[in-house]
């Protein structure tokens, strides 16, 4: 799409204070952090956990470039209220749903998968699985295909006054 796409599945808690942001290295999760920053700029109570799930054969998981960029994008607004979380597991949806419950997450914010059809058949559509099974609000964000950088200006209705 030539424009961004945001799909929101409303959950049972509407506070919007605690965010869980799973990342896998694609551009859309980083692009989506602009929405957390916009909301966080209006309150000092916003918290975020940036999460990455590694396959079981990973030895010592550590923050990847995508995770570090997401944290770096959020740090100026959230400070120490943003934290990394690395997990080893063979099911990303299971980990994300479990951690969302553990952290009392209000909103799961994910970039939408750009995986091809074959890869989705093999791995499943992770954002869709999480959105279907989660009881909290889930925001799926896809940046414009022609976006050169995820740090573009926010839409006017989300800008700080």
């Amino acid at each position: 799409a030539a424009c961004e796409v945001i799909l929101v599945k409303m959950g049972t808690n509407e506070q919007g204070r605690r965010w869980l942001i799973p990342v896998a290295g694609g551009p859309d999760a980083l692009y989506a952090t602009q929405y957390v920053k916009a909301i966080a700029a209006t309150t000092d109570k916003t918290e975020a956990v940036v999460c990455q799930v590694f396959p079981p054969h990973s030895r010592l998981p550590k923050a990847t470039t995508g995770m570090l960029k997401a944290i770096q994008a959020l740090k100026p607004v959230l400070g120490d209220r943003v934290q990394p979380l690395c997990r080893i597991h063979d099911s990303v949806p299971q980990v994300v749903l479990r951690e969302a419950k553990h952290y009392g997450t209000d909103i799961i914010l994910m970039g939408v998968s750009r995986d091809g059809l074959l890869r989705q058949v093999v791995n499943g559509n992770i954002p869709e699985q999480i959105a279907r099974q989660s009881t909290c609000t889930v925001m799926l964000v896809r940046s414009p295909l022609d976006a050169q950088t995820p740090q573009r200006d926010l839409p006017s209705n989300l800008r700080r006054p």
Side-chain angles (χ1 to χ4, degrees):
C3 62
E4 68 186 348
V5 177
I6 303 171
L7 175 67
V8 179
K9 178 207 151 206
M10 296 303 294
T12 56
N13 187 347
E14 298 180 14
Q15 289 184 8
R17 204 185 101 189
R18 292 186 195 101
W19 295 69
L20 179 64
I21 308 167
V23 297
D28 292 327
L30 181 58
Y31 182 84
T33 61
Q34 65 184 328
Y35 294 98
V36 179
K37 292 189 317 188
I39 290 169
T42 66
T43 177
D44 62 354
K45 296 181 180 180
T46 304
E47 303 169 9
V49 174
V50 179
C51 174
Q52 185 152 13
V53 180
F54 297 89
H57 62 271
S58 298
R59 291 191 179 182
L60 294 172
K62 60 181 180 178
T64 61
T65 303
M67 179 182 234
L68 293 173
K69 284 182 179 179
I71 291 169
Q72 185 178 24
L74 294 169
K75 272 275 192 211
V77 176
L78 296 178
D80 62 356
R81 296 185 321 265
V82 59
Q83 60 182 309
L85 177 68
C86 297
R87 293 289 184 252
I88 297 176
H89 202 277
D90 59 354
S91 173
V92 173
Q94 282 182 9
V95 171
V96 171
L97 294 166
R98 181 185 68 221
E99 297 301 335
K101 183 177 273 191
H102 173 77
Y103 284 97
T105 298
D106 299 316
I107 301 173
I108 299 172
L109 175 67
M110 299 184 68
V112 177
S113 174
R114 293 183 187 261
D115 290 341
L117 184 58
L118 179 59
R119 191 169 187 160
Q120 286 186 27
V121 168
V122 173
N123 297 329
N125 186 316
I126 292 170
E128 179 184 356
Q129 290 175 28
I130 292 168
R132 287 187 186 274
Q133 296 176 37
S134 178
T135 58
C136 63
T137 297
V138 178
M139 287 179 66
L140 303 177
V141 177
R142 186 169 192 172
S143 62
L145 292 177
D146 62 349
Q148 296 297 312
T149 175
Q151 301 301 318
R152 296 176 8 159
D153 288 338
L154 288 171
S156 59
N157 62 333
L158 290 177
R159 291 185 193 141
R160 278 184 16 187

